[in-house]
């Protein structure tokens, strides 16, 4: 009993001195509570939608008004052409495009059941599912006031309008098509940050750093030398996931794989830079692991990998926008499922590159050439 | 060559917060000399060595190391210096030959393969070259470390307690190697705790609490201490020691095997102090002060000074 107590007291003393572990014990549940409690929402509302209104009658507007009132859709843009609509969807600027054709009001009143076309970016089925499901009854109820009295026959048994939904990019709503490409980003984030974080702190912990520093080298040689092998390892992982995606999960690959591989390099670099920065702050391997976890947790939860990005509150989206994984997910899904090219992905690429640059400058600035 | 100074620094100072680890140390070591660097734990030996090879930035001080400015020339100094760390600092998950090859590449050694091969041969590591460094015993690790920090033909070797944890035979072999290399013109600065090793050095520097206390050849250091030492043998030396301690004139009474060494700075006062105890069965005789007597004396003095 005395010995048991001795071990308990010793552990407490050590935990108390290990401030990082102490921070983990308090920090991890707090972060999880906040993220899961406030940020995550599996029933996303206020999804950005564009309208393509060709009708000049009153019923078209009534219909749109009704849709906007549902809180599922926020009309952010008015478009003119189908081409613009496709571009807005490809870039992920809007989740939906709702098209109301010419002469909609007239045909409605004539009982011809005019069609309303809703194109959805369905790469992530969970982001659009609820909104689409609500559309049918939304259309009917928003036109209810207009179709009263003598016009009530128009409501009919099949509804006054013909609702056509085109779930683009992932028409069968297969979750794997969204998850498997996304997993590439998640695996790279986890591995690259941790592996470089450990690679540098290991030298310090084992005392080999002193030896390395006593040799005539420049920091950039050591840092780059440490990073390059892991870039190659990252590519092994990318290839593995792509092969599995293609042959195991039959994920469509519409876009240019070479472009994806090029962008992956920037993404890998961003994560390695994060790892290097962690390693210059962490005192030992355990701390490096813990810091990597602190980075990994929001990356998984706030990037749109597990939960729809647009379902999160504004502040959570702001944090998500900083993380390289958020942008990489958009790029991977965009290239593989939507067939996006350089033009559509370039904005996201710049945001990852910016993150990489900032992280690496902090890393190089903090890298110590001496033991001071 | 023998007149040139390999190390010539003045006023070297390093502070860590409020602690002054190295306090204005001057040190000159001639090329081809073996300089023993002595002092108790935490006296600043490692810090001083790290400043010489550019691992720590001195807060104050100036001078040259191998003719290069010790403050601004650390990149060039690193190229010509071999530094053996106190704790084994090669890669335990690399084999002997992989470690040597890596170091050779880092120093851009010409004819790298040949340099690695001859280094393995010279140190008798041939049969073990594929073995992981982490699996080696203390003595073999030390051999590997020495081989690795010499692969780029340094002119100066800074060895920080190279023989700690190494058995006596390996230590003797090690010192023979050091003397052979010094004869070839290499300069050594060797931090050590062992007195027998100190006696093998051409020159000694003793530091305590960051200050250089004495500096010179073995006989100079002993002579400079002006210490008189008596050796006494017989029964109950421990009790005798207790009685002697604190008597005026007796600065220290230290057990050396079956004898007690009683020393003091003032020969007459010491003789007077021991007079009442010079009775049978104790046998007293005056001996020459050894290095160890001197160092214990120096250590005590700094301790007393610190207390005042």
């Amino acid at each position: 009993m005395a010995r048991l107590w001795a071990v308990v007291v010793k552990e407490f003393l050590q935990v108390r001195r290990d401030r990082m572990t102490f921070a983990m014990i308090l920090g991890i549940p707090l972060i999880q509570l906040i993220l899961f409690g406030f940020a995550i929402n599996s029933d996303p509302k206020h999804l950005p939608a564009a309208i393509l209104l060709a009708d000049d009658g009153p019923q078209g507007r009534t219909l749109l008004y009704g849709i906007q009132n549902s809180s599922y859709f926020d009309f952010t843009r008015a478009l003119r052409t189908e081409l613009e609509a496709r571009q807005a969807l490809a870039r992920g600027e809007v989740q939906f495009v709702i098209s109301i054709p010419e002469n909609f009001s007239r045909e409605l009143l004539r009982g011809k059941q005019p069609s309303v076309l809703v194109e959805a970016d369905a790469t992530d089925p969970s982001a659009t599912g609820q909104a689409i499901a609500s559309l049918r009854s939304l259309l009917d109820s928003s036109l209810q006031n207009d179709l009263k009295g003598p016009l009530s026959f128009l409501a009919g048994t099949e509804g006054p309008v013909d609702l056509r939904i085109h779930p683009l990019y992932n028409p069968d709503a297969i979750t794997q098509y969204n998850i498997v490409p996304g997993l590439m980003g998640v695996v790279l984030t986890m591995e690259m940050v941790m592996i470089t974080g450990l690679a540098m702190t290991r030298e310090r912990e084992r005392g080999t750093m002193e030896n390395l520093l006593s040799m005539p080298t420049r920091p950039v040689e050591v840092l780059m030398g440490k990073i390059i092998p892991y870039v190659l390892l990252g590519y092994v992982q990318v290839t593995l996931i792509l092969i599995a995606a293609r042959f195991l999960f039959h994920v469509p690959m519409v876009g240019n794989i070479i472009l994806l591989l090029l962008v992956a390099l920037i993404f890998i670099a961003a994560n390695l830079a994060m790892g290097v920065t962690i390693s210059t702050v962490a005192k030992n391997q355990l701390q490096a692991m813990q810091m990597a976890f602190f980075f990994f947790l929001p990356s998984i939860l706030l990037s749109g990998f597990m939960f729809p990005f647009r379902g999160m509150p504004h502040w959570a989206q702001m944090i998500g926008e900083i993380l390289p994984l958020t942008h990489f997910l958009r790029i991977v899904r965009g290239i593989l499922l939507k067939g996006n090219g350089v033009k559509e992905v370039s904005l996201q690429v710049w945001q990852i590159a910016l993150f990489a640059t900032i992280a690496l400058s902090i890393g190089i600035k903090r890298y110590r050439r001496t033991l001071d | 060559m023998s007149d040139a100074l390999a190390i010539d620094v003045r006023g070297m100072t390093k502070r860590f917060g409020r602690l002054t680890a190295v306090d204005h140390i001057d040190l000159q070591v001639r090329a081809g000399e073996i300089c023993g660097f002595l002092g108790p734990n935490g006296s600043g030996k490692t810090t001083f060595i790290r400043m010489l090879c550019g691992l720590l930035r001195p807060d104050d001080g100036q001078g040259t190391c191998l003719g290069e400015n010790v403050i601004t020339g650390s990149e060039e100094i690193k190229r010509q210096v071999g530094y053996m760390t106190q704790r084994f600092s090669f890669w335990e998950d690399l084999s002997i030959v992989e470690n040597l090859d890596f170091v050779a590449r880092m120093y851009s050694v010409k004819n790298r393969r040949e340099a690695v091969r001859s280094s393995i041969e010279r140190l008798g590591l041939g049969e073990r070259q594929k073995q992981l460094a982490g699996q080696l015993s203390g003595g073999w690790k030390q051999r590997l470390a020495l081989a690795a920090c010499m692969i780029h033909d340094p002119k100066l070797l800074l060895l920080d307690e190279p023989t700690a944890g190494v058995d006596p035979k390996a230590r003797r072999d090690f010192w023979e190697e050091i003397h052979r290399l010094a004869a070839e013109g290499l300069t050594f600065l060797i931090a050590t705790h062992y007195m027998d090793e100190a006696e093998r050095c051409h020159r000694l520097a003793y530091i305590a609490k960051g200050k250089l206390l004495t500096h010179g050849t073995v006989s100079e250091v002993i002579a400079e201490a002006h210490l008189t030492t008596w050796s006494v043998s017989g029964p109950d030396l421990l009790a005798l020691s207790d009685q002697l301690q604190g008597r005026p004139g007796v600065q220290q009474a230290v057990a050396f095997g079956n004898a007690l060494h009683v020393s003091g700075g003032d020969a007459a006062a010491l003789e007077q102090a021991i007079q009442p105890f010079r009775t049978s069965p104790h046998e007293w005789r005056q001996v020459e002060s050894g290095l160890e007597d001197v160092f214990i004396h120096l250590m005590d003095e700094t301790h007393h000074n610190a207390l005042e």
Side-chain angles (χ1 to χ4, degrees):
Chain A
M1 197 60 196
R3 282 190 296 264
L4 169 74
W5 194 239
V7 176
V8 169
V9 169
K10 170 187 146 296
E11 286 303 311
F12 261 116
L13 285 173
Q14 287 176 316
V15 167
R16 210 182 53 192
R17 298 220 168 106
D18 185 359
R19 271 191 286 165
M20 196 67 194
T21 298
F22 206 66
M24 288 282 285
I25 289 169
L26 297 175
I28 290 291
L30 271 178
I31 289 184
Q32 299 220 21
L33 276 172
I34 291 167
L35 295 188
F36 278 104
F38 297 117
I40 286 158
N41 172 15
S42 53
D43 182 16
K45 299 204 167 155
H46 301 287
L47 298 167
I51 46 175
L52 200 68
L53 179 63
D55 178 49
D56 48 8
Q59 274 77 24
R61 291 179 193 286
T62 309
L63 189 72
L64 291 177
Y65 192 70
I67 293 174
Q68 180 148 29
N69 262 351
S70 73
S71 82
Y72 271 115
F73 302 90
D74 276 359
F75 294 144
T76 54
R77 295 176 65 176
L79 303 171
R80 292 170 184 282
T81 64
E82 180 62 19
L83 184 70
E84 281 182 352
R86 283 298 169 117
Q87 273 176 355
L89 284 167
R91 289 191 185 145
E93 289 160 1
V94 294
Q95 194 86 35
F96 299 97
V97 174
I98 298 169
S99 313
I100 300 198
E102 226 175 325
N103 301 329
F104 173 81
S105 300
R106 192 151 20 124
E107 296 199 355
L108 180 74
L109 296 179
R110 286 181 184 167
K112 281 192 171 173
Q113 271 204 327
S115 59
V116 168
L117 177 65
V118 177
E119 290 164 299
D121 173 356
T123 37
D124 183 0
S126 65
T128 48
Q130 304 266 19
I132 288 174
S134 74
L135 265 174
R136 179 81 256 174
S137 59
L138 261 176
L139 289 186
D140 293 351
S141 61
S142 56
L143 289 171
Q144 231 164 31
N145 281 336
D146 283 27
L147 307 176
K148 274 186 178 157
L151 291 176
S152 61
F153 74 96
L154 288 174
T157 44
E158 288 164 28
V161 292
D162 172 24
L163 174 64
R164 291 187 188 168
I165 295 166
H166 285 183
L168 296 174
Y169 315 125
N170 185 2
D172 299 323
I174 298 171
T175 312
Q176 279 89 336
Y177 288 5
N178 186 51
I179 291 289
V180 174
L183 207 55
M184 189 191 297
V186 171
V187 168
L188 287 177
T189 303
M190 188 161 61
E191 292 284 315
M192 296 296 107
V193 172
M194 208 180 296
I195 221 160
T196 35
L198 291 183
M200 298 298 288
T201 41
R202 187 167 52 220
E203 301 272 4
R204 209 166 305 137
E205 208 175 328
R206 293 189 183 170
T208 50
M209 197 66 189
E210 186 178 1
N211 204 333
L212 205 56
L213 288 174
S214 75
M215 298 180 193
T217 57
R218 285 196 294 266
V220 66
E221 291 167 340
V222 177
L223 287 179
M224 289 307 285
K226 287 251 164 204
I227 282 176
I228 288 169
Y230 301 116
V231 172
L232 297 179
L233 282 182
Y235 268 113
V236 171
Q237 294 182 320
V238 168
T239 314
L240 194 71
I241 292 172
L242 277 178
I243 290 172
R246 180 84 187 80
F247 297 104
L248 213 57
F249 297 100
H250 308 291
V251 174
M253 294 186 182
V254 188
N256 188 342
I257 299 295
I258 304 293
L259 175 64
L260 178 61
L261 292 178
L262 284 175
V263 176
L265 182 64
I266 298 167
F267 179 64
I268 290 171
N271 284 309
L272 291 175
M274 185 69 205
V276 167
T277 305
I278 283 180
S279 76
T280 60
V281 181
K283 290 200 176 65
N284 53 47
Q285 293 191 70
L286 180 66
Q287 284 195 1
M289 288 273 278
Q290 290 170 331
M291 287 183 189
F293 191 69
F294 265 120
F295 178 68
F296 186 57
L297 194 62
S299 283
I300 282 247
L301 295 177
L302 300 184
S303 63
F305 171 70
M306 281 179 106
F307 308 98
F309 189 80
R310 291 197 167 112
M312 301 189 304
H314 188 66
W315 62 266
Q317 292 195 15
M318 295 281 279
I319 298 173
E321 289 287 349
I322 299 170
L323 302 169
L325 181 58
T326 307
H327 301 286
F328 188 66
L329 288 180
R330 292 176 191 164
I331 293 171
V332 181
R333 291 167 177 172
I335 291 176
L336 289 185
L337 303 179
K338 301 179 177 178
N340 281 352
V342 179
K343 212 169 65 185
E344 286 85 6
V345 302
S346 60
L347 178 66
Q348 311 290 346
V349 172
W350 281 117
Q351 275 163 296
I352 298 178
L354 181 68
F355 180 92
T357 313
I358 293 173
L360 198 64
S361 342
I362 297 174
I364 289 178
K365 205 170 156 72
R366 288 199 50 108
Y367 177 86
R368 278 152 288 185
R369 302 181 80 167
T370 59
L371 293 168
D372 284 277
Chain B
M1 186 67 194
S2 61
D3 284 346
L5 289 173
I7 300 173
D8 182 13
V9 292
R10 285 174 305 280
M12 296 294 276
T13 301
K14 181 73 193 175
R15 300 183 193 93
F16 296 112
R18 290 175 56 198
L19 175 83
T20 305
V22 173
D23 192 358
H24 294 91
I25 287 189
D26 302 345
L27 187 70
Q28 281 83 38
V29 181
R30 285 193 201 93
E33 229 174 22
I34 301 173
C35 177
F37 203 39
L38 294 110
N41 290 327
S43 55
K45 300 191 295 287
T46 301
T47 305
F48 180 79
I49 290 177
R50 284 176 173 171
M51 282 195 288
L52 278 186
C53 60
L55 281 172
L56 288 174
R57 233 181 291 276
D59 291 313
D60 200 2
Q62 52 174 319
T64 59
C65 186
L66 297 170
E68 301 289 337
N69 187 308
V70 76
I71 311 292
T72 58
S74 62
E75 286 308 303
E76 194 47 45
I77 292 172
K78 280 179 184 179
R79 255 179 261 282
Q80 303 183 43
V81 166
Y83 170 45
M84 185 167 159
T85 53
Q86 188 169 359
R87 188 178 143 195
F88 181 73
S89 65
F90 288 87
W91 288 266
E92 302 210 333
D93 42 5
L94 293 184
S95 70
I96 289 176
V97 65
E98 286 162 349
N99 265 301
L100 291 172
D101 192 63
F102 172 70
V103 178
R105 278 175 196 268
M106 291 297 271
Y107 284 100
S108 326
V109 172
K110 286 184 191 120
N111 298 326
R112 198 182 80 243
R113 282 169 206 284
E114 179 55 29
V116 171
R117 199 190 56 75
S118 72
S119 158
I120 285 174
E121 206 167 273
R122 190 158 44 136
L123 282 134
L125 292 164
E127 289 159 34
R128 294 165 175 263
Q129 57 174 305
K130 294 271 162 61
Q131 209 170 332
L132 294 186
Q135 295 169 349
L136 298 172
S137 67
W140 282 103
K141 275 185 180 166
Q142 177 244 25
R143 278 183 173 210
L144 166 61
L146 184 66
C149 69
M150 284 184 41
I151 202 152
H152 59 293
D153 271 330
K155 297 202 184 86
L156 168 66
L157 278 166
L158 306 171
L159 311 180
D160 195 356
E161 296 186 16
T163 55
V166 170
D167 69 53
K169 163 119 180 23
R171 266 174 63 195
R172 201 187 59 204
D173 294 347
F174 177 78
W175 274 90
E176 272 169 20
E177 175 79 5
I178 299 287
H179 271 276
R180 204 177 51 71
L181 292 166
E184 290 173 15
L186 250 84
T187 313
F188 289 86
L189 180 64
I190 305 181
T192 181
H193 281 301
Y194 299 110
M195 290 305 140
D196 59 321
E197 293 189 350
E199 282 169 359
R200 284 166 162 250
C201 296
H202 299 129
R203 181 178 290 273
L204 296 174
Y206 186 92
I207 70 169
K209 299 205 186 298
K211 290 200 170 70
L212 187 70
L213 295 186
T214 182
H215 182 203
T217 63
V218 176
S219 46
E220 280 169 3
V221 166
I222 293 173
E224 220 173 78
H226 301 297
L227 207 62
T228 310
T229 301
W230 288 78
S231 170
V232 52
S233 56
D236 291 329
L237 289 174
L238 195 62
L240 182 65
S241 167
D242 285 343
Q243 285 173 302
L244 285 165
Q245 300 269 16
R247 284 184 77 89
V250 177
Q251 283 177 331
Q252 65 193 45
V254 184
F256 273 75
N258 292 323
L260 191 68
H261 280 198
V262 185
S263 313
D266 183 339
L270 179 64
E271 200 159 354
Q272 214 175 354
I274 63 172
Q275 200 55 45
F277 301 96
R278 296 184 69 173
T279 53
S280 173
H282 290 120
E283 262 182 57
W284 290 80
R285 65 197 165 85
Q286 193 172 353
V287 293
E288 274 185 37
S289 299
L291 259 187
E292 191 145 7
D293 300 312
V294 171
F295 286 142
I296 292 168
H297 168 71
L298 287 171
M299 248 185 274
D300 278 352
E301 257 186 2
T302 47
H303 186 62
H304 289 310
N305 288 346
L307 288 179
E308 283 160 16

